[in-house]
Amino acid sequence: MAVSLGTRISGLLVAGAVAVAVTAFGGDRGGGPENGGDGGGGAIVTAGPSARPLATAPSLSPTPRQSPAGEASGLVDPTPPPHTHRGTTPHPSVSPTRPAAGRPLPSPAWLPPGPVSPDADAVPDAWSLYDRLRDPARCRTALPVIDRTPSGPDRRLLRGLAEACLAVQGLGGSWDTAAADHTALAGRADTCKERAAYAVLGALLDFHRQHPHATVPLRTARGGPPACAYRVAGVDTSRAAPGDTVGIELRGVYFDPTELARYGEVFIGGERLDPAPVIRSRNGDALVLAAVVPALDGLPRTADVVVRYGSAEARLPDALTVVAPAAVPSPGPSSGTPQGVLPLGPLPADLPRP
């Protein structure tokens, strides 16, 4: 039976299509043994029931990048994490007792401003030595001066602070001495500068416990609240007359009180008192001065109280009212005996004899 020319051409076209499809799925891709392949590169992919739909096929993994250590890093997000450089592995978590690589430890806070004591007599005392230690570069030269001051809790506190100042900077010093002084003085710091020094010493010891082998520089504190708030807290009376003695209470005293008694000045209503004030009592950085109210014009009137020593001045406006002294009443006209004096009768020796 004769086959038509069209049928023959159709058959050739079908055979050609089959050949093209076979070439596309299993063509020469270097997978044959003769080309060094593993022999598995020519597998035919079928579209049977086990094939996953295209819409749910997993995304292809990006090509693994090489880490700086020469190891494949698997899936690497092309966007680097914050604070890391592209192509580097993030730093592992750092122990709280060790700083991150390349990042220095922050320096502990040092002594806040006092403020500076006038120190008119230039004799070393705890208040002026605190001012010397505010410059951490002077801790070494301060130690022999501290040793010459009278013994007491304040001297021991400053000694421990100077030792810790040197030790934390790697300049010598003794952590053992600093720790012993801090322990011995717990609850005994009773002035504003002593409390500030005790807190700073405790912070240095905490730093040393967390970083036992670290040394850091200390820096002079700039700004911030002062350690002491010097002020006139009050007067023990609201009304007084010239010549009366009143008590003036000071708080936050940051200088040697004995210097205040020698070089200080007190003004009531603008009038400077003479003699100098007398210290009635002292408790830590609180003082009570005894002062005599001066004669003022225009009584009664309110008066400010000012206590001045060098550059240190404390003022309390309208601290008290100064009134005129009470008038002494004159004797009554019907009696020659002054008021308040009992009249005396005749003495037994003056009586007539029987």
Side-chain angles (χ1 to χ4, degrees):
M1 179 172 158
V3 181
S4 65
L5 181 60
T7 302
R8 292 179 180 179
I9 294 174
S10 299
L12 291 175
L13 291 176
V14 171
V18 171
V20 171
V22 170
T23 303
F25 285 101
D28 183 9
R29 300 173 63 182
E34 68 275 12
N35 293 330
D38 57 4
I44 298 176
V45 179
T46 63
S50 62
R52 181 176 297 178
L54 181 62
T56 59
S59 60
L60 297 178
S61 301
T63 304
R65 287 206 309 242
Q66 197 76 6
S67 70
E71 301 170 350
S73 57
L75 295 178
V76 179
D77 187 350
T79 303
H83 309 297
T84 59
H85 297 287
R86 185 182 298 273
T88 61
T89 304
H91 292 290
S93 60
V94 180
S95 170
T97 61
R98 300 179 61 186
R103 180 179 300 176
L105 287 170
S107 299
W110 190 233
L111 294 173
V116 177
S117 170
D119 195 21
D121 61 2
V123 176
D125 52 58
W127 295 267
S128 59
L129 286 172
Y130 177 101
D131 302 332
R132 181 190 293 257
L133 286 175
R134 285 209 62 240
D135 181 0
R138 304 177 71 183
C139 289
R140 185 178 302 281
T141 59
L143 268 175
V145 182
I146 293 172
D147 291 338
R148 293 197 301 268
T149 59
S151 60
D154 50 1
R155 185 184 78 171
R156 186 170 185 180
L157 173 59
L158 294 176
R159 182 191 66 179
L161 187 64
E163 295 282 359
C165 168
L166 296 173
V168 77
Q169 297 183 94
L171 302 175
S174 170
W175 284 117
D176 291 339
T177 300
D181 291 345
H182 185 266
T183 300
L185 298 173
R188 301 181 64 183
D190 59 357
T191 68
C192 44
K193 284 187 174 181
E194 288 177 6
R195 289 188 291 269
Y198 188 81
V200 169
L201 177 56
L204 292 177
L205 292 170
D206 288 341
F207 177 88
H208 178 62
R209 281 189 287 268
Q210 296 176 15
H211 314 284
H213 305 294
T215 58
V216 292
L218 295 176
R219 298 177 177 85
T220 303
R222 305 292 183 187
C228 304
Y230 177 54
R231 68 192 190 279
V232 176
V235 179
D236 64 356
T237 182
S238 60
R239 296 171 64 87
D244 291 346
T245 300
V246 297
I248 302 172
E249 182 179 2
L250 302 176
R251 293 288 182 89
V253 175
Y254 58 92
F255 42 80
D256 188 351
T258 60
E259 297 175 16
L260 176 63
R262 294 166 59 188
Y263 306 105
E265 299 174 304
V266 176
F267 298 82
I268 296 180
E271 294 290 331
R272 179 180 178 273
L273 306 189
D274 191 22
V278 176
I279 297 177
R280 177 185 293 176
S281 64
R282 174 188 171 190
N283 182 16
D285 57 6
L287 297 179
V288 176
L289 304 179
V292 178
V293 178
L296 301 176
D297 296 331
L299 301 180
R301 55 176 283 194
T302 58
D304 299 350
V305 170
V306 177
V307 180
R308 185 180 299 160
Y309 164 45
S311 60
E313 180 178 294
R315 177 186 297 268
L316 181 62
D318 302 333
L320 77 162
T321 300
V322 180
V323 298
V328 178
S330 59
S334 60
S335 173
T337 303
Q339 185 177 0
V341 178
L342 296 177
L344 294 177
L347 296 177
D350 298 331
L351 295 177
R353 295 178 179 233

